[in-house]
Amino acid sequence: MSLRIVVCVKYVPDASGDRAFTEDLTTDRESVDGLLSELDEYAVEQALQIAGSTDGAEVTVVTVGPEDAEDAVRKALQMGADKGVHVEDDDLHGTDALGTSLVLAAAIEKTGYDLVVCGMASTDGVMGVLPALLAERLRVPQVTLLSEVAVADGAVTGRRDGDAASEQLSASLPAVVSVTDQSGEARYPSFKGIMAAKKKPVETWDLDDLDIEADTVGLTGAWSAVEDATARPPRTAGEIVTDEGEGGKQLAGYLAEHKFI
Amino acid sequence: MAEVLVLVDHVDGSVRKPTLELLTLARRIGDPVAVHLGPGADEAASVLAEYGATRVLVADAPEFADYLVVPKVDAVEAAVAAVSPAAVLVPSSSDGKEIAARLALRLESGLITDAVDLTAGDEGPVATQSVFAAGFTTRSRITRGTPVITVKPNSTSPEAAPAAGAVEQLEVAFGELATGTTVVSRTPRASTGRPELTEAAIVVSGGRGVNGAENFALIEALADSLGAAVGASRAAVDAGWYPHASQVGQTGKTVSPQLYVAAGISGAIQHRAGMQTSKTIVAVNKDSEAPIFELVDFGVVGDLFTVVPALTDEVKNRKG
Ligand SMILES: Cc1cc2nc3c(=O)[nH]c(=O)nc-3n(C[C@H](O)[C@H](O)[C@H](O)COP(=O)(O)OP(=O)(O)OC[C@H]3O[C@@H](n4cnc5c(N)ncnc54)[C@H](O)[C@@H]3O)c2cc1C
Ligand SMILES: Cc1cc2nc3c(=O)[nH]c(=O)nc-3n(C[C@H](O)[C@H](O)[C@H](O)COP(=O)(O)OP(=O)(O)OC[C@H]3O[C@@H](n4cnc5c(N)ncnc54)[C@H](O)[C@@H]3O)c2cc1C
C-alpha cells in the first residue's frame, strides 16, 4: 500500500516576541522572528508516526507564507518529512482564512494526497478553521481535533475530545485530519535529521502554478476587513502583599471589598 | 426589520448560556431567529423565546448525532436560504467554529471567529476580537456575503426580552458530504457539579505549584467556597493532576470571568491568552518575580499551601 500524506504547517511570529500589526492592519511578520507554529509540530509528529507504520508512505510538508516560511518547511524536513512545498507570492499578503484555504487546497491537490494532517490551530490567527475549510473544498471527510489518531485499511479513526463529550470518529480515506497538543509530544530533529534535510527537495510555487487569480486572494480578495487594532492597555499594577501569616485573610478582605464574597 | 440567525448550542434541549448571550447580541442587529438542531426543541423553544427569538426553526434527524459537523452545516445552510438573514451568529465552540467556516465558504461569505463583542454598523455588524494572547483588540467587518460570526462565551450578559418564538419546521436535505465522518461512539463528559468553566463568574486555577493531583483538593475547596469553576495550567494538566477539559489557555479554554484566581501559576503567555480578559485577577505565588504578578489586581507572595486554605476558611467565615 502506498500512502501520500500531506502535512500543512504555518510559519508564525514567535508568541514570546512583541507581536503587532503593520500600517495596513495585517500581521507584522518582519519585526518579530518567525518559526514553525508549535502546534503544527504535533501534526508533523503524527504524520511521521502514521508513515512509520505504513509501507510506501511519503510525507510532504506544505506551507503558504512569505519567503522566510521555508524555515518552517525545513524544520519539518529535519524532523523526518520527505519533501516540501512552499507556496509564496506577493499577492498573498493579507489573505483571509477562506483565501488561504483556496490556495492550500490547490497546493494539496497538485501534490496528490490520501491523507492531509493539520494542527489544531495556528498560534497567530488561532481560528482553528483551516482543516474544516480544506475538507469542504477537497470534498473529503474532516476528522478533526483528534487527541488520538490511527490509520489502517484505508480508514482513519480517532478520538475527539469536545466541549460536551468525547467522540470516537471514523472515516475512509482520502480525508483531512487535525490533531491537538494532546496527541503526543513532537520529536526533536536529530543531528542526522538536520543533515539529511539539507538534501531534501523543496518546491516553490506561486499563484500561477496553482491557476489562482491574484484578485481572489490577498487583502483585496479578502471577505473580511480589519477596521482598527488597538494595543491592550497594560493592566494597572495591583496591590502585592507578602504573606506573613495574614496573606489569606488579606486576600479575602480584597475579595469581600469587591463583593466577590 | 432584518432577521439574524442564531445557531442554538444545547444538550438534549437544555440551552447553554452562550446561546442566550448570542440572542442578546443578535437583537442589536435585527430580530433573532433561532435554529435548533436535534432533540428537545419544545423545551428549548420557550427559553429561546424568552431571550428574544421571534422564530425557532427546528429540525431533528439521526444524522446530527451520527456524523460529525457537516449535517449541521447542511441545516444552517437551509435556514439561511429560508430566512435570508442579515448575519449568522454561531457559538465559538469547536463544533461551532467548524460549522461556521464551512457555511461561510458555501455562502461565499466572509468569516469572523471568536468575537467578544458585536455592534451594528452602517455597513453591517462590527465584531470585536481579542488577538495575540489578548495583547490587541481589533474591530472587523465582513465585506462580502452574509456575515458569519462566531462569538465567545461571556461576551455579554444574557438579557431576557420575550418574543413570539414561533416554532417552525426546517426542511433539510443532506448532501453527499454529510455522512463522511461517522461518530462511532460518544462519551458525555462527566459533570463536576461545578459551574461550566467558560461560563463561570469565578474561576480558581491551579498550576505546577500545586504539586500533585491530590493537592488539587485545596483548589477545589477554595472554588467550592466561592461557587467557582476549577481551571488548571497546562503544566498541571500535562503532569496528569487535572483533566485536560479544565485547561485554561491557548490550547485549552478561554475564560473571561468576573474573578480569576491563579494559584501556583507563573503566567506564561500561552496561559495568559486564556484568562487575560478576566475582569479581576488575583494570584498566589511564592515567587515575587513571577510574571502573573504583572496582571493582578491583588497578589499574595507566599506559599499556596498556607495561603489558599487560610483564604478558604476566611471565605467560609465571611459567608457564615
Ligand atoms: C490575529 C489574527 C486574526 C485573524 N482573524 C481573521 C478572521 O476573523 N477571519 C479571517 O478570515 N481571517 C482572519 N485572519 C487571517 C487568518 O488567520 C489567515 O488567513 C490564516 O492563514 C488562516 O487562519 P489561522 O492562521 O487562524 O489558521 P487555523 O485555522 O488556526 O490553522 C489550523 C491549521 O491549518 C494549517 N494552516 C493554517 N494556515 C496555514 C498556512 N498558511 N500554510 C499551511 N498550513 C496552514 C495548519 O496545519 C494549522 O495548524 C486573522 C489573522 C490574524 C493573525
Ligand atoms: C503551543 C503552546 C501552547 C500552550 N498552551 C497552554 C495553555 O493552553 N495553557 C497553559 O497554561 N499553558 C500552555 N502552554 C504552556 C506554557 O508555556 C507554560 O509552560 C505553562 O503555562 C506553565 O504552567 P505553570 O504556570 O503551572 O507552571 P510553571 O511555569 O512551572 O509555574 C509554576 C509557578 O508556581 C509557583 N509555585 C511553586 N510552588 C508554589 C507554592 N508552594 N506556592 C505558591 N506558588 C508556587 C512558582 O513560583 C511558579 O511561578 C503552552 C505552550 C505552548 C508552547
Side-chain angles (χ1 to χ4, degrees):
Chain A
M1 182 188 145
S2 82
L3 185 69
R4 294 165 303 167
I5 305 176
V6 175
V7 191
C8 301
V9 302
K10 189 177 184 185
Y11 180 75
V12 298
D14 189 344
S16 57
D18 273 323
R19 293 180 296 180
F21 291 90
T22 56
E23 233 161 78
D24 67 356
L25 297 177
T26 59
T27 310
D28 184 350
R29 298 185 188 276
E30 299 286 320
S31 59
V32 178
D33 285 345
L35 44 74
L36 166 64
S37 175
E38 282 153 309
L39 294 174
D40 291 346
E41 291 182 16
Y42 296 92
V44 176
E45 177 62 35
Q46 290 308 311
L48 293 174
Q49 287 192 18
I50 292 165
S53 56
T54 314
D55 288 336
E58 184 179 53
V59 178
T60 307
V61 195
V62 178
T63 196
V64 176
E67 198 181 341
D68 292 344
E70 197 182 320
D71 290 359
V73 174
R74 284 287 162 205
K75 171 95 188 267
L77 296 178
Q78 292 172 353
M79 289 173 71
D82 300 300
K83 58 192 179 72
V85 170
H86 178 192
V87 183
E88 183 198 345
D89 198 308
D90 288 345
D91 288 322
L92 284 169
H93 173 81
T95 306
D96 66 1
L98 296 143
T100 303
S101 72
L102 175 73
V103 177
L104 206 44
I108 291 165
E109 273 184 321
K110 190 173 157 95
T111 305
Y113 71 100
D114 302 297
L115 178 69
V116 178
V117 186
C118 295
M120 63 188 288
S122 71
T123 57
D124 57 350
V126 215
M127 295 177 75
V129 297
L130 250 294
L133 288 169
L134 291 175
E136 180 76 27
R137 290 212 186 256
L138 297 168
R139 303 194 66 75
V140 300
Q142 76 163 72
V143 196
T144 44
L145 297 174
L146 303 180
S147 307
E148 251 172 42
V149 58
V151 170
D153 306 324
V156 53
T157 53
R159 193 184 79 237
R160 173 179 169 110
D161 294 323
D163 301 313
S166 176
E167 296 164 327
Q168 201 63 41
L169 304 178
S170 154
S172 52
L173 297 180
V176 175
V177 312
S178 73
V179 299
T180 72
D181 62 339
Q182 300 292 301
S183 59
E185 252 343 279
R187 67 193 67 186
Y188 288 103
S190 64
F191 179 70
K192 220 173 110 199
I194 292 171
M195 295 315 285
K198 294 189 171 150
K199 294 195 213 76
K200 291 177 178 172
V202 177
E203 283 191 53
T204 306
W205 295 341
D206 62 13
L207 290 174
D208 279 345
D209 293 320
L210 298 173
D211 287 323
I212 291 173
E213 301 287 337
D215 61 2
T216 57
V217 295
L219 263 185
T220 41
W223 297 350
S224 50
V226 179
E227 305 222 304
D228 52 52
T230 327
R232 191 182 173 78
R235 292 187 80 105
T236 41
E239 187 183 348
I240 313 271
V241 300
T242 300
D243 177 42
E244 281 155 4
E246 295 292 305
K249 278 206 169 120
Q250 286 169 293
L251 183 44
Y254 177 87
L255 297 182
E257 202 179 304
H258 291 80
K259 310 258 180 294
F260 291 114
I261 308 178
Chain B
M1 198 172 177
E3 293 184 307
V4 178
L5 279 191
V6 171
L7 179 61
V8 177
D9 188 5
H10 68 96
V11 180
D12 296 331
S14 145
V15 179
R16 300 179 76 185
K17 184 164 156 253
T19 302
L20 308 181
E21 296 164 9
L22 258 61
L23 290 168
T24 306
L25 289 175
R27 295 203 305 270
R28 297 180 185 169
I29 305 163
D31 288 330
V33 175
V35 179
H36 181 103
L37 307 176
D42 290 338
E43 181 192 339
S46 57
V47 178
L48 298 169
E50 188 188 337
Y51 283 86
T54 53
R55 301 196 273 160
V56 181
L57 309 185
V58 306
D60 193 7
E63 281 83 352
F64 294 130
D66 293 351
Y67 302 96
L68 190 70
V69 170
V70 189
K72 291 182 181 156
V73 181
D74 290 347
V76 184
E77 189 186 15
V80 171
V83 172
S84 304
V88 182
L89 306 186
V90 180
S92 269
S93 59
S94 26
D95 282 23
K97 287 210 272 189
E98 294 183 335
I99 293 168
R102 299 184 70 137
L103 176 72
L105 190 52
R106 290 186 190 184
L107 300 176
E108 300 196 0
S109 296
L111 171 70
I112 290 174
T113 54
D114 294 327
V116 296
D117 198 8
L118 204 59
T119 53
D122 294 340
E123 295 164 286
V126 178
T128 304
Q129 287 164 291
S130 174
V131 305
F132 293 153
F136 278 81
T137 302
T138 59
R139 291 191 315 148
S140 308
R141 196 164 53 73
I142 279 158
T143 51
R144 169 169 169 154
T146 307
V148 179
I149 301 172
T150 81
V151 182
K152 285 208 161 185
N154 270 348
S155 293
T156 192
S157 2
E159 286 161 25
V167 174
E168 296 168 30
Q169 208 61 40
L170 175 70
E171 292 305 325
V172 184
F174 294 111
E176 56 180 20
L177 298 181
T179 54
T181 306
T182 308
V183 179
V184 181
S185 64
R186 177 178 286 114
T187 317
R189 226 176 67 209
S191 166
T192 58
R194 298 194 176 87
E196 190 70 29
L197 186 56
T198 52
E199 299 171 8
I202 303 180
V203 174
V204 180
S205 290
R208 199 195 302 275
V210 175
N211 199 26
E214 64 286 358
N215 299 337
F216 256 86
L218 290 179
I219 304 296
E220 291 180 333
L222 174 58
D224 292 343
S225 74
L226 290 164
V230 176
S233 74
R234 174 157 150 189
V237 169
D238 283 356
W241 303 339
Y242 222 67
H244 180 251
S246 304
Q247 182 175 317
V248 172
Q250 188 189 319
T251 53
K253 301 276 163 32
T254 310
V255 301
S256 195
Q258 297 299 318
L259 172 66
Y260 188 83
V261 184
I265 293 177
S266 62
I269 180 95
Q270 296 89 354
H271 187 77
R272 277 170 14 208
M275 46 68 75
Q276 190 150 225
T277 59
S278 306
K279 306 294 175 297
T280 299
I281 298 173
V282 302
V284 181
N285 194 305
K286 68 178 182 191
D287 175 8
S288 65
E289 303 286 311
I292 191 79
F293 285 126
E294 292 161 17
L295 301 181
V296 299
D297 297 286
F298 193 92
V300 179
V301 179
D303 188 339
L304 72 87
F305 290 96
T306 52
V307 176
V308 168
L311 173 59
T312 308
D313 285 345
E314 188 63 21
V315 172
K316 284 187 188 155
N317 281 345
R318 286 178 184 252
K319 283 194 167 174

